[in-house]
């Protein structure tokens, strides 16, 4: 990779980070607009890390739960492409690379929350089980502890839902 290409990729992540700052400051509309502009530039076939990061935050900027779900699904698809080392948008056919495993607990937690908002508790349970199963990749630090705590909170919330029970395992593990 050339120095110019590396600088260009850093610029994309910097712009995503700037939009996330707006999002966390409460300016959801401006964050959504900026993230949307970047998405138009990188497109569906762009760098998978950029797509995963952008889509994950774009989901948080949505007002409609169905739109939030669509963006979180895009983030998962991009992570799968990243995890298989190809980064070209094709779904992974094998275990994610070790460095990518840390993304999955948060991605599946977000999907579980999306499905719960859409009153689809069974789909939420599937993704919550995936988040819990992937949580072993998290470090024992602020981020990892926060994600694990959020998984536990959502497990408790789902336990109160109709049809409650322990989250089912991955479909592949059935």
């Amino acid at each position: 990779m050339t120095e110019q290409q590396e600088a260009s990729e850093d610029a994309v992540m910097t712009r995503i980070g700037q939009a996330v700052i707006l999002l966390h400051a409460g300016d959801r509309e401006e964050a959504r607009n900026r993230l949307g502009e970047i998405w138009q530039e990188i497109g569906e076939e762009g760098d998978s890390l950029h797509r995963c990061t952008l889509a994950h935050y774009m989901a948080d900027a949505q007002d409609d739960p169905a739109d939030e779900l669509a963006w979180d699904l895009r983030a998962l698809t991009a992570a799968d492409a990243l995890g298989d080392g190809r980064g070209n948008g094709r779904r992974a056919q094998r275990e994610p690379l070790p460095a990518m495993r840390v993304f999955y607990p948060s991605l599946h937690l977000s999907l579980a929350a999306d499905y719960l908002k859409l009153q689809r508790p069974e789909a939420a349970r599937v993704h919550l089980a995936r988040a819990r199963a992937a949580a072993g990749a998290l470090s024992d630090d602020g981020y990892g502890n926060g994600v694990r705590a959020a998984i536990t909170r959502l497990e408790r919330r789902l336990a109160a839902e109709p049809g409650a029970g322990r989250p089912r395992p991955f479909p592949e593990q059935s």
Side-chain angles (χ1 to χ4, degrees), residues 17-87:
Q18 291 168 339
V20 170
I21 290 169
L22 290 170
L23 178 63
H24 290 164
D27 194 347
R28 293 165 56 89
E29 183 176 355
E30 184 60 25
R32 191 171 42 241
N33 290 339
R34 289 189 188 192
L35 290 169
E37 289 171 9
I38 300 167
W39 185 262
Q40 290 301 314
E41 292 170 20
I42 64 176
E44 293 281 338
E45 299 301 319
D47 178 84
S48 294
L49 179 60
H50 293 162
R51 288 185 296 120
C52 179
T53 304
L54 189 149
H56 190 55
Y57 287 111
M58 181 64 114
D60 294 341
Q62 300 305 305
D63 296 324
D64 183 308
D67 292 337
E68 187 174 356
L69 173 63
W71 281 105
D72 277 328
L73 288 169
R74 285 182 186 105
L76 181 61
T77 298
D80 285 345
L82 254 173
D84 70 7
R86 293 177 294 191

Side-chain angles (χ1 to χ4, degrees), residues 48 52 56 72-85 90-112 126-138 143 147-148 151 170 172:
S48 294
C52 179
H56 190 55
D72 277 328
L73 288 169
R74 285 182 186 105
L76 181 61
T77 298
D80 285 345
L82 254 173
D84 70 7
R90 291 181 286 166
R91 186 154 174 82
Q93 298 299 312
R94 62 181 189 276
E95 186 71 19
L97 296 172
M100 288 306 303
R101 290 186 188 128
V102 73
F103 285 110
Y104 284 93
S106 178
L107 292 172
H108 284 293
L109 175 63
S110 292
L111 285 164
V126 168
H127 283 282
L128 191 56
R130 290 177 181 174
R132 176 62 74 194
L138 296 169
Y143 173 76
V147 172
R148 280 189 290 275
I151 290 170
F170 287 72
E172 307 82 55

Side-chain angles (χ1 to χ4, degrees), residues 116 119-125 156-165:
L116 189 56
Q119 299 179 352
R120 295 178 56 193
E122 192 56 39
R125 286 183 183 91
R156 288 182 188 138
R157 186 170 165 203
L158 269 170
E161 290 289 316

